[in-house]
């Protein structure tokens, strides 16, 4: 069997136009069947647009071309609910928890029919969610809402997780907590992660895909990319004052001593 080396996701020649703007222009990359693949690039380069195209959430005034496959299965033209049912988990950039509902109600809404929800696993990863089950989601901190957004997706079996900027706007201590959780999650499910915090990238990522000007500008080993200061500066704007976060900020040292 080649199943452990075949990519879990293959994106080939993906073009997305929204309202006449050609946002992605032939993006091609693969996601390995294990570990974290990180999708990088400056603000506005099309990272969220890429994830949304994969999960079938391009806006109505958008147009998608190209190929997106999970294993052998073509994802394009399938409705989002079918993709989710087929094991594609999506944690959106803005978290999208239902502020007026409790934590327990948010979780219950995420249960997929026909699957026994893995509450044990979710509460083991996020004990806070169990303690706060009856609290309204809108009264949680940003970090707790992020935990809810991730926990919700983990109630179900997933073949691939798409996670968009999970540490954005969080305090350093919470960034570390979210990073540790993602590290544990990635031991059992492959993750395509959009992340601007390079310390988090260093800790989690195995492979990197960098977008620039609507196309893939670099792809390869994430740690090699991070060693190339000139490259990260030109592709990500790190160190030029354009990045909204510095490379060493906001996460505890990884276990490899970096
Ligand atoms: N619904 C939309 N309508 C019009 N333009 C959009 C829409 N969504 C994204 N864009 C534009 O597409 C570009 C890429 O956006 P996005 O994928 O959110 O970038 P990133 O996640 O890399 O910061 C930006 O210029 C953004 O303004
Ligand atoms: Mg984005």
């Amino acid at each position: 069997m080649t199943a452990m080396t075949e990519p879990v996701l293959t994106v080939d020649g993906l073009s997305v136009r929204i309202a006449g703007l050609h946002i992605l222009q032939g993006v091609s990359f693969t996601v390995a069947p294990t570990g974290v693949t990180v999708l990088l690039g400056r603000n506005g380069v099309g990272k969220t647009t890429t994830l949304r195209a994969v999960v079938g959430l391009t806006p109505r005034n958008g147009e998608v071309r190209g190929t997106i496959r999970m294993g052998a299965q073509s994802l394009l033209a399938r409705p989002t609910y079918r993709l989710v049912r087929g094991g594609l988990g999506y944690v959106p950039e803005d978290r999208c928890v239902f502020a007026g509902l409790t934590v327990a109600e948010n979780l219950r809404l995420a249960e997929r029919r026909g699957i026994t929800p893995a509450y044990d696993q979710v509460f083991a990863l996020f004990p806070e969610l169990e303690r706060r089950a009856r609290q309204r989601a809108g009264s949680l901190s940003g970090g707790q809402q992020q935990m809810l957004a991730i926990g919700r997706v983990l109630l179900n079996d997933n073949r691939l997780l798409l996670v968009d900027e999970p540490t954005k706007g969080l305090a350093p201590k919470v960034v570390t907590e979210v990073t540790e959780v993602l590290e544990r999650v990635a031991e059992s499910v492959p993750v395509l992660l959009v992340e601007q915090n390079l310390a988090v990238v260093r800790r989690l990522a195995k492979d990197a895909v960098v977008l620039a000007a609507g196309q893939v500008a670099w792809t390869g080993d994430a740690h090699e990319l991070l060693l190339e200061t000139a490259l990260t500066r030109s592709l990500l704007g790190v160190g030029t004052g354009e990045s909204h976060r510095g490379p060493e900020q906001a996460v505890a040292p990884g276990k490899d001593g970096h």
Side-chain angles (χ1 to χ4, degrees):
M1 280 284 283
T2 52
M4 288 317 287
T5 52
E6 292 286 319
V8 63
L9 186 78
T10 304
V11 174
D12 194 16
L14 176 65
S15 290
V16 177
R17 274 178 197 273
I18 301 174
L21 291 171
H22 207 168
I23 293 166
L24 300 181
Q25 306 174 20
V27 166
S28 301
F29 65 92
T30 59
V31 175
T34 57
V36 176
T37 299
V38 69
L39 183 60
L40 299 167
R42 294 173 188 238
N43 281 334
V45 83
K47 303 179 297 295
T48 296
T49 300
T50 302
L51 296 195
R52 290 176 66 87
V54 171
V55 75
L57 288 172
T58 302
R60 273 175 200 284
N61 60 348
E63 185 193 336
V64 182
R65 284 166 197 260
T67 314
I68 304 176
R69 283 188 290 115
M70 187 159 65
Q73 184 183 52
S74 173
L75 303 192
L76 271 185
R78 272 174 200 255
T80 301
Y81 77 89
R82 295 240 343 244
L83 298 176
V84 168
R85 205 182 279 169
L88 190 58
Y90 176 49
V91 184
E93 190 169 23
D94 39 18
R95 289 157 201 164
C96 299
V97 300
F98 296 98
L101 302 182
T102 65
V103 168
E105 287 164 342
N106 269 275
L107 291 172
R108 203 171 312 132
L109 277 176
E111 294 178 11
R112 275 180 224 152
R113 237 184 308 159
I115 295 179
T116 307
Y119 277 100
D120 289 357
Q121 178 194 316
V122 170
F123 290 149
L125 278 170
F126 306 105
E128 193 81 6
L129 292 184
E130 189 165 26
R131 280 196 294 275
R132 295 178 185 272
R134 296 168 68 181
Q135 190 175 327
R136 268 167 30 100
S139 69
L140 298 174
S141 71
Q144 289 158 352
Q145 289 189 19
Q146 186 64 61
M147 302 295 188
L148 178 55
I150 298 171
R152 183 168 67 172
V153 166
L154 296 178
L155 279 179
N156 304 294
D157 279 339
N158 295 287
R159 287 170 64 193
L160 171 65
L161 289 182
L162 310 175
V163 186
D164 199 348
E165 299 215 35
T167 70
K168 189 164 136 188
L170 301 181
K173 181 169 160 284
V174 188
V175 170
T176 305
E177 284 171 23
V178 170
T179 305
E180 283 168 359
V181 160
L182 288 172
E183 195 169 34
R184 284 171 65 188
V185 168
E187 287 168 9
S188 51
V189 194
V191 178
L192 176 58
L193 173 72
V194 174
E195 180 55 64
Q196 303 266 24
N197 182 327
L198 293 191
V200 175
V201 172
R202 181 172 293 119
R203 169 97 180 244
L204 293 179
K206 201 174 55 170
D207 304 307
V209 177
V210 186
L211 297 182
Q215 294 181 325
V216 173
W218 194 92
T219 175
D221 182 285
H223 294 94
E224 273 174 32
L225 173 68
L226 293 175
L227 289 173
E228 301 276 351
T229 314
L231 198 60
T232 56
R233 190 161 292 162
S234 71
L235 290 176
L236 309 176
V238 169
T240 64
E242 290 177 46
S243 169
H244 62 283
R245 271 182 236 150
E248 302 301 340
Q249 192 189 336
V251 75
K255 62 186 172 201
D256 55 357
H258 285 298

